[in-house]
Amino acid sequence: MTWSEAEGARRAREVFARELGGAPEGVWSAPGRVNLIGEHTDYNSGLALPIALPHRTFAALRRREDGRIRVVSAQRPGEPIEAMLAELAPPSTFGWAGYVLGVAWSLREAGLLSAGFDLALDSCVPVGAGLSSSAALECAMAVGLAGHAPTDVLIPACVRAENDFVGAPTGAMDQTVSLRAQAGHALLIDFADGSLEQIPFTAELLVIDTRAEHALADGEYARRRAECARAAELAGVATLRELTTVPADPVLAARARHVASENARVLEFAAELRGPAPALPRLGALLNASHDSLRDDFEVSCRELDVAVDAARAAGAYGARMTGGGFGGSAIALVEPGAAAVVRAEVAEAFRRAGLGAPTFSTAVASSGALTE
Ligand code: GLA
């Protein structure tokens, strides 16, 4: 379920008044995302093509002069957090609020925040579904507290909150699209030079939340990232984007193969979208190839994601793939308009037959980021 901007703002104001007292100065919001294609490429100076979801996180904010920070969330009832801005330092010991206080910390470090604040959050971005609820939270806050700053300052500030304060070694895809997406467009991001291109994307995607926990996610994500760095280092290049030789080590070779082939698929997908009549079967084939590469070469899929993808394809989707970091979370399927109900039913049935808990479904159209309507 998604909320309109007015509905989200109303809810965040209500939480603010109830838990913190009085009224906020304003309410800012930012979306979650699904990545169409270009996975595990962002931290390799590669290419990605995400869209913003219609699901958003809403941040009701009021500055205070005493340097104190108070945070409440409708998703964490009875767990308010208090801290002093001047005392914030990594590593985070704040549990769920680590991302929030991480943004405050990194904005302070960047010279963009000197006052404390009261913050009430409410969100319709599903948590733990691999749809970047954390980036939505970070970006909603960042535009509320420092929205005047250029995005090439805000994006790294939000990424630092995750990397340096929370200790999650993620790339910059989620924050980039959450801040800069435009409705009706996918965002082509080139992480080598930070360039962005808005490409019309009007198809409706089926999003399948496998409900699989990201049990190994943190350690395995960091390991993949280290393997990519090692492959580049052995070849004497700064990042896998510049790699021209195949690493001797078979595991590193497979990781490098994924990154190179995935970058090529992003370019093909983008080229197809720019054409006069994007062919859904061609886009679907690229999604399929992306998933197979993530499963076999990068080894970040899991049983639930594979069951979802296989069942969606068998039910007639043009293509399907895991989206996001992997090891659980969500898959996306590109389906004929009107055929989504059949694909949903077949995926649900495949989960039942495999003895897996029921997945949940939603649809996504490319929506607006925090900074653009
Ligand atoms: C997670 C990270 C992103 C990106 C993807 C994989 O979503 O937050 O930075 O690395 O995994 O493409």
Side-chain angles (χ1 to χ4, degrees), residues 3 7 11 24 47 49 66 72 140 143 148 174 193 221 226 264 284 315 329 343 363 368:
W3 304 336
E7 168 73 359
R11 284 172 180 257
L47 298 157
L49 188 66
D66 59 2
V72 295
V143 293
H148 57 283
D174 308 339
D193 61 8
Y221 185 99
V343 177
T363 50
S368 61

Side-chain angles (χ1 to χ4, degrees), residues 33 35 38-43 170-174 221 324-325:
R33 63 99 186 91
N35 189 12
E39 218 67 86
H40 287 277
T41 49
D42 59 353
Y43 54 82
T170 50
M173 169 174 70
D174 308 339
Y221 185 99

Side-chain angles (χ1 to χ4, degrees), residues 34-344:
V34 286
N35 189 12
L36 294 178
I37 195 157
E39 218 67 86
H40 287 277
T41 49
D42 59 353
Y43 54 82
N44 289 305
S45 291
L47 298 157
L49 188 66
I51 62 170
L53 289 171
H55 306 74
R56 298 177 85 86
T57 292
F58 296 83
L61 275 161
R62 179 177 60 204
R63 280 170 196 273
R64 22 188 321 143
E65 291 311 320
D66 59 2
R68 184 169 295 279
I69 298 173
R70 299 193 299 158
V71 188
V72 295
S73 164
Q75 279 65 50
R76 295 282 180 166
E79 297 180 52
I81 296 279
E82 281 207 31
M84 294 301 292
L85 178 66
E87 289 166 13
L88 293 177
S92 169
T93 52
F94 294 99
W96 73 269
Y99 292 94
V100 173
L101 296 174
V103 171
W105 168 79
S106 64
L107 291 177
R108 188 198 71 196
E109 293 280 293
L112 293 169
L113 183 67
S114 53
F117 55 87
D118 290 336
L119 166 65
L121 296 159
D122 204 348
S123 178
C124 63
V125 184
V127 174
L131 301 175
S132 288
S133 58
S134 53
L137 173 74
E138 293 154 15
C139 294
M141 258 189 85
V143 293
L145 290 170
H148 57 283
T151 43
D152 58 355
V153 172
L154 285 183
I155 292 168
C158 291
V159 175
R160 281 198 78 194
E162 288 206 18
N163 290 180
D164 299 342
F165 197 82
V166 177
T170 50
M173 169 174 70
D174 308 339
Q175 294 79 5
T176 306
V177 68
S178 184
L179 286 170
R180 294 297 306 273
Q182 280 179 13
H185 294 76
L187 184 64
L188 177 62
I189 311 169
D190 186 334
F191 293 94
D193 61 8
S195 62
L196 305 176
E197 181 187 346
Q198 305 282 351
I199 305 182
F201 182 80
T202 50
E204 189 175 272
L205 289 174
L206 178 62
V207 181
I208 306 160
D209 177 2
T210 65
R211 316 284 289 172
E213 286 195 27
H214 306 226
L216 291 169
D218 292 350
E220 289 294 324
Y221 185 99
R223 188 189 311 215
R224 293 303 177 283
R225 197 168 170 161
E227 287 166 346
C228 291
R230 180 82 186 128
E233 186 194 337
L234 286 173
V237 292
T239 72
L240 287 188
R241 187 75 178 274
E242 294 123 78
L243 193 73
T244 49
T245 53
V246 180
D249 178 277
V251 171
L252 298 187
R255 306 298 188 243
R257 192 161 58 230
H258 165 71
V259 173
S261 64
E262 187 76 350
N263 283 332
R265 283 185 289 272
V266 174
L267 289 177
E268 270 196 67
F269 201 101
E272 188 66 38
L273 285 185
R274 286 191 207 98
L280 296 181
R282 180 68 201 132
L283 297 177
L286 290 165
L287 296 182
N288 289 342
S290 170
H291 183 82
D292 296 353
S293 175
L294 287 158
R295 182 191 59 210
D296 302 336
D297 279 345
F298 217 69
E299 297 182 276
V300 291
S301 189
C302 65
R303 180 151 175 263
E304 291 85 349
L305 287 167
D306 292 341
V307 168
V309 162
D310 291 345
R313 291 177 188 171
Y318 289 114
R321 63 181 287 273
M322 54 160 274
T323 189
F327 306 108
S330 295
I332 53 171
L334 187 62
V335 298
E336 184 72 36
V342 174
V343 177
R344 280 179 191 229

